[in-house]
Amino acid sequence: MKHHSLRKTMFFLVLAAGIIPLHAEVKLSEIQPQSPPIIIRNLQRGVERGDTDCMYILGTHYYEGKWVPRDGKMAVKLWRMAANRGDAYAQLTLGVCYYYGDMVPLNYREAVRWFLEAAHQGDATAQFSLGLCYAEGTGVEQNDEEAVRWYRLAAEQGDPAAQYSLGNCYAEGAGVEQNDEEAVRWYRLAAEQGDEDAIDVLIQCYEEGVGVEKSAAEAQVWRQKKSVAAGARPQSPKPPEQDK
Protein backbone atom coordinates (compact mmCIF):
# COMPACT_ATOMS: atom_id res chain seq x y z
CA MET A 1 0.00 0.00 0.00
CA LYS A 2 1.37 3.39 -0.99
CA HIS A 3 1.73 5.83 1.88
CA HIS A 4 1.68 9.60 1.75
CA SER A 5 4.88 11.37 2.71
CA LEU A 6 4.98 14.52 4.75
CA ARG A 7 6.53 16.39 1.84
CA LYS A 8 3.63 15.47 -0.43
CA THR A 9 0.86 16.36 1.93
CA MET A 10 2.27 19.24 3.93
CA PHE A 11 2.25 22.81 2.72
CA PHE A 12 5.98 22.94 1.98
CA LEU A 13 5.16 24.25 -1.50
CA VAL A 14 2.48 26.49 -0.07
CA LEU A 15 5.18 28.45 1.71
CA ALA A 16 7.06 28.79 -1.53
CA ALA A 17 3.91 29.99 -3.26
CA GLY A 18 3.39 32.65 -0.61
CA ILE A 19 -0.03 31.36 0.44
CA ILE A 20 -1.01 32.55 3.91
CA PRO A 21 -3.87 31.80 6.29
CA LEU A 22 -7.27 33.21 5.34
CA HIS A 23 -7.50 35.47 8.40
CA ALA A 24 -4.08 36.87 7.56
CA GLU A 25 -5.04 37.33 3.90
CA VAL A 26 -7.89 39.56 5.02
CA LYS A 27 -5.46 41.68 7.02
CA LEU A 28 -3.01 41.83 4.12
CA SER A 29 -5.80 42.86 1.72
CA GLU A 30 -6.35 45.96 3.84
CA ILE A 31 -2.86 47.23 3.03
CA GLN A 32 -2.24 45.52 -0.36
CA PRO A 33 -3.19 48.56 -2.51
CA GLN A 34 -0.29 50.45 -0.97
CA SER A 35 3.25 50.46 -2.32
CA PRO A 36 5.60 47.60 -1.28
CA PRO A 37 7.75 49.77 1.04
CA ILE A 38 4.66 50.98 2.87
CA ILE A 39 3.28 47.45 3.13
CA ILE A 40 6.51 46.20 4.67
CA ARG A 41 6.63 49.20 7.02
CA ASN A 42 3.06 48.54 8.15
CA LEU A 43 3.83 44.87 8.70
CA GLN A 44 6.86 45.81 10.77
CA ARG A 45 4.73 48.13 12.86
CA GLY A 46 2.25 45.33 13.33
CA VAL A 47 5.06 43.08 14.53
CA GLU A 48 6.09 45.74 17.03
CA ARG A 49 2.49 45.81 18.30
CA GLY A 50 2.60 42.05 18.81
CA ASP A 51 0.27 41.21 15.90
CA THR A 52 0.84 37.53 15.06
CA ASP A 53 -0.71 37.84 11.60
CA CYS A 54 1.83 40.50 10.71
CA MET A 55 4.61 38.32 12.12
CA TYR A 56 3.56 35.42 9.94
CA ILE A 57 3.04 37.49 6.79
CA LEU A 58 6.34 39.35 7.16
CA GLY A 59 8.11 36.04 7.81
CA THR A 60 6.67 34.72 4.56
CA HIS A 61 7.97 37.79 2.73
CA TYR A 62 11.46 37.12 4.09
CA TYR A 63 11.16 33.46 3.15
CA GLU A 64 10.29 34.41 -0.43
CA GLY A 65 12.50 37.49 -0.68
CA LYS A 66 9.42 39.48 -1.70
CA TRP A 67 10.00 43.23 -1.25
CA VAL A 68 12.72 42.44 1.30
CA PRO A 69 16.07 40.63 1.01
CA ARG A 70 15.58 36.88 1.22
CA ASP A 71 16.48 35.87 4.76
CA GLY A 72 15.57 32.44 6.09
CA LYS A 73 16.80 33.23 9.60
CA MET A 74 14.59 36.30 9.81
CA ALA A 75 11.64 34.29 8.49
CA VAL A 76 12.11 31.68 11.20
CA LYS A 77 12.55 34.37 13.86
CA LEU A 78 9.23 35.99 12.92
CA TRP A 79 7.39 32.67 12.67
CA ARG A 80 8.77 31.68 16.06
CA MET A 81 7.55 34.95 17.55
CA ALA A 82 4.06 34.20 16.24
CA ALA A 83 4.24 30.55 17.29
CA ASN A 84 5.26 31.45 20.83
CA ARG A 85 2.19 33.68 20.98
CA GLY A 86 -0.04 30.76 20.06
CA ASP A 87 -0.47 31.15 16.29
CA ALA A 88 -1.27 27.63 15.05
CA TYR A 89 -0.21 28.23 11.47
CA ALA A 90 3.17 29.56 12.59
CA GLN A 91 3.55 26.55 14.88
CA LEU A 92 2.83 24.24 11.98
CA THR A 93 5.29 26.12 9.77
CA LEU A 94 8.05 25.76 12.36
CA GLY A 95 7.27 22.06 12.59
CA VAL A 96 7.79 21.73 8.84
CA CYS A 97 11.06 23.65 9.04
CA TYR A 98 12.41 21.35 11.74
CA TYR A 99 11.12 18.23 9.98
CA TYR A 100 13.17 19.05 6.87
CA GLY A 101 16.01 20.98 8.47
CA ASP A 102 14.95 23.91 6.29
CA MET A 103 16.49 27.14 7.67
CA VAL A 104 16.98 25.39 11.03
CA PRO A 105 18.91 22.26 12.09
CA LEU A 106 16.93 19.11 11.35
CA ASN A 107 15.23 18.03 14.57
CA TYR A 108 12.31 15.59 14.47
CA ARG A 109 11.51 15.94 18.16
CA GLU A 110 11.28 19.69 17.80
CA ALA A 111 9.09 19.21 14.72
CA VAL A 112 6.75 16.99 16.72
CA ARG A 113 6.64 19.53 19.54
CA TRP A 114 5.40 22.25 17.20
CA PHE A 115 3.02 19.93 15.36
CA LEU A 116 1.53 19.03 18.73
CA GLU A 117 1.07 22.69 19.68
CA ALA A 118 -0.84 23.35 16.46
CA ALA A 119 -2.74 20.06 16.59
CA HIS A 120 -4.10 20.85 20.04
CA GLN A 121 -5.59 23.98 18.51
CA GLY A 122 -7.43 21.85 15.98
CA ASP A 123 -5.19 22.35 12.95
CA ALA A 124 -5.95 19.40 10.67
CA THR A 125 -2.62 19.47 8.83
CA ALA A 126 -0.74 19.36 12.11
CA GLN A 127 -2.94 16.49 13.30
CA PHE A 128 -2.21 14.55 10.12
CA SER A 129 1.50 15.30 10.50
CA LEU A 130 1.49 13.90 14.03
CA GLY A 131 -0.28 10.81 12.78
CA LEU A 132 2.42 10.29 10.19
CA CYS A 133 5.16 10.81 12.77
CA TYR A 134 3.60 8.17 15.04
CA ALA A 135 3.09 5.79 12.12
CA GLU A 136 6.74 6.08 11.09
CA GLY A 137 8.27 6.52 14.55
CA THR A 138 9.73 9.87 13.51
CA GLY A 139 10.51 12.06 16.52
CA VAL A 140 8.33 9.83 18.72
CA GLU A 141 8.09 6.16 19.58
CA GLN A 142 6.25 4.30 16.81
CA ASN A 143 2.62 3.78 17.80
CA ASP A 144 -0.08 2.77 15.31
CA GLU A 145 -2.92 3.49 17.75
CA GLU A 146 -1.71 7.07 18.24
CA ALA A 147 -1.28 7.42 14.49
CA VAL A 148 -4.90 6.40 13.99
CA ARG A 149 -6.07 8.81 16.67
CA TRP A 150 -4.45 11.80 15.00
CA TYR A 151 -5.34 10.69 11.48
CA ARG A 152 -8.98 10.40 12.53
CA LEU A 153 -9.07 13.88 14.05
CA ALA A 154 -7.74 15.34 10.81
CA ALA A 155 -9.85 13.08 8.59
CA GLU A 156 -13.04 14.10 10.36
CA GLN A 157 -12.17 17.69 9.50
CA GLY A 158 -12.00 16.71 5.83
CA ASP A 159 -8.23 16.45 5.34
CA PRO A 160 -7.85 14.14 2.29
CA ALA A 161 -4.33 12.97 3.17
CA ALA A 162 -5.55 11.92 6.60
CA GLN A 163 -8.61 10.23 5.11
CA TYR A 164 -6.40 8.23 2.75
CA SER A 165 -3.99 7.33 5.55
CA LEU A 166 -6.84 6.28 7.83
CA GLY A 167 -8.12 4.11 5.00
CA ASN A 168 -4.71 2.46 4.85
CA CYS A 169 -4.86 1.76 8.58
CA TYR A 170 -8.21 -0.03 8.20
CA ALA A 171 -7.00 -1.91 5.12
CA GLU A 172 -3.88 -3.12 6.91
CA GLY A 173 -5.29 -3.50 10.42
CA ALA A 174 -2.69 -1.05 11.74
CA GLY A 175 -3.85 0.47 15.01
CA VAL A 176 -7.45 -0.59 14.35
CA GLU A 177 -9.30 -3.81 13.59
CA GLN A 178 -8.91 -4.68 9.91
CA ASN A 179 -12.02 -3.64 7.98
CA ASP A 180 -12.08 -3.39 4.18
CA GLU A 181 -15.47 -1.68 4.08
CA GLU A 182 -14.31 1.06 6.45
CA ALA A 183 -11.10 1.41 4.47
CA VAL A 184 -13.08 1.99 1.28
CA ARG A 185 -15.28 4.55 3.03
CA TRP A 186 -12.25 6.68 3.89
CA TYR A 187 -10.61 6.12 0.50
CA ARG A 188 -13.78 7.35 -1.16
CA LEU A 189 -13.90 10.50 0.95
CA ALA A 190 -10.30 11.29 0.00
CA ALA A 191 -10.88 10.37 -3.64
CA GLU A 192 -13.86 12.69 -3.85
CA GLN A 193 -11.46 15.50 -2.99
CA GLY A 194 -9.14 14.48 -5.80
CA ASP A 195 -6.49 12.55 -3.86
CA GLU A 196 -4.86 10.53 -6.63
CA ASP A 197 -3.50 7.78 -4.39
CA ALA A 198 -6.97 7.27 -2.93
CA ILE A 199 -8.44 7.15 -6.42
CA ASP A 200 -5.88 4.51 -7.46
CA VAL A 201 -6.73 2.34 -4.45
CA LEU A 202 -10.45 2.79 -4.99
CA ILE A 203 -10.08 1.68 -8.61
CA GLN A 204 -8.22 -1.41 -7.40
CA CYS A 205 -10.92 -2.13 -4.81
CA TYR A 206 -13.63 -2.05 -7.50
CA GLU A 207 -11.55 -4.18 -9.85
CA GLU A 208 -10.91 -6.83 -7.20
CA GLY A 209 -14.10 -6.53 -5.17
CA VAL A 210 -12.29 -5.61 -1.94
CA GLY A 211 -14.60 -3.82 0.51
CA VAL A 212 -17.08 -3.15 -2.28
CA GLU A 213 -18.98 -5.16 -4.88
CA LYS A 214 -16.73 -5.86 -7.84
CA SER A 215 -17.53 -3.44 -10.66
CA ALA A 216 -15.51 -2.72 -13.77
CA ALA A 217 -17.91 0.12 -14.55
CA GLU A 218 -17.23 1.88 -11.23
CA ALA A 219 -13.51 1.37 -11.68
CA GLN A 220 -13.75 3.08 -15.07
CA VAL A 221 -15.72 5.97 -13.58
CA TRP A 222 -12.90 6.65 -11.13
CA ARG A 223 -10.28 6.35 -13.89
CA GLN A 224 -12.09 9.06 -15.78
CA LYS A 225 -12.30 11.23 -12.68
CA LYS A 226 -8.57 10.84 -12.15
CA SER A 227 -7.89 11.82 -15.76
CA VAL A 228 -10.05 14.94 -15.47
CA ALA A 229 -8.41 15.91 -12.16
CA ALA A 230 -4.91 15.41 -13.57
CA GLY A 231 -5.71 17.58 -16.57
CA ALA A 232 -6.98 20.41 -14.39
CA ARG A 233 -4.15 20.30 -11.86
CA PRO A 234 -1.78 23.29 -11.99
CA GLN A 235 1.96 22.76 -11.85
CA SER A 236 3.48 23.08 -8.39
CA PRO A 237 5.86 26.00 -7.91
CA LYS A 238 9.52 25.29 -7.25
CA PRO A 239 10.55 26.25 -3.71
CA PRO A 240 13.15 29.00 -3.56
CA GLU A 241 16.62 28.11 -2.37
CA GLN A 242 17.22 29.09 1.23
CA ASP A 243 20.26 29.71 3.33
CA LYS A 244 20.33 27.27 6.25
Side-chain angles (χ1 to χ4, degrees):
M1 188 70 65
K2 185 175 182 180
H3 290 264
H4 279 321
S5 68
L6 192 59
R7 179 174 294 277
K8 176 177 180 182
T9 51
M10 286 293 290
F11 62 99
F12 188 80
L13 292 181
V14 174
L15 289 176
I19 298 173
I20 57 179
L22 179 59
H23 66 280
E25 284 181 351
V26 173
K27 179 162 297 193
L28 186 57
S29 69
E30 298 172 357
I31 59 176
Q32 194 69 58
Q34 301 170 1
S35 66
I38 294 176
I39 292 174
I40 295 300
R41 190 181 313 126
N42 286 340
L43 289 172
Q44 290 170 336
R45 289 172 177 169
V47 170
E48 292 169 0
R49 293 194 307 268
D51 188 309
T52 57
D53 291 342
C54 289
M55 293 171 190
Y56 189 88
I57 295 169
L58 188 57
T60 302
H61 277 284
Y62 276 107
Y63 179 86
E64 293 185 284
K66 181 179 180 181
W67 304 335
V68 291
R70 184 175 295 164
D71 188 336
K73 290 182 179 179
M74 179 59 71
V76 170
K77 177 181 178 180
L78 287 161
W79 289 335
R80 192 183 303 279
M81 289 170 64
N84 285 332
R85 288 167 172 79
D87 187 281
Y89 210 80
Q91 292 165 346
L92 177 59
T93 303
L94 276 183
V96 174
C97 292
Y98 278 108
Y99 190 93
Y100 290 114
D102 183 40
M103 301 174 289
V104 295
L106 187 147
N107 188 325
Y108 292 133
R109 290 187 180 276
E110 192 69 3
V112 167
R113 181 173 82 86
W114 287 112
F115 289 153
L116 190 61
E117 292 282 348
H120 281 318
Q121 296 195 63
D123 187 282
T125 307
Q127 291 168 345
F128 163 74
S129 304
L130 274 177
L132 187 61
C133 288
Y134 275 108
E136 297 180 341
T138 302
V140 291
E141 185 175 347
Q142 199 280 336
N143 188 318
D144 287 334
E145 288 77 14
E146 276 295 293
V148 167
R149 182 169 80 89
W150 289 108
Y151 283 155
R152 191 182 304 281
L153 286 170
E156 288 175 348
Q157 293 195 66
D159 186 281
Q163 291 168 342
Y164 170 79
S165 297
L166 188 55
N168 282 346
C169 291
Y170 276 105
E172 299 168 0
V176 289
E177 185 176 349
Q178 200 279 338
N179 186 322
D180 287 330
E181 290 76 13
E182 190 69 4
V184 168
R185 183 172 81 85
W186 288 108
Y187 288 146
R188 188 187 307 280
L189 287 170
E192 287 171 350
Q193 296 192 68
D195 188 289
E196 291 189 9
D197 291 333
I199 293 174
D200 287 339
V201 175
L202 201 54
I203 290 170
Q204 184 178 352
C205 288
Y206 275 112
E207 288 177 337
E208 300 177 1
V210 177
V212 291
E213 185 176 347
K214 189 173 182 179
S215 172
E218 279 295 318
Q220 184 58 28
V221 166
W222 283 104
R223 285 195 192 89
Q224 292 172 347
K225 289 183 178 181
K226 180 180 178 180
S227 179
V228 170
R233 185 174 61 252
Q235 282 193 328
S236 298
K238 183 179 180 180
E241 293 182 0
Q242 292 288 341
D243 294 331
K244 298 288 185 176

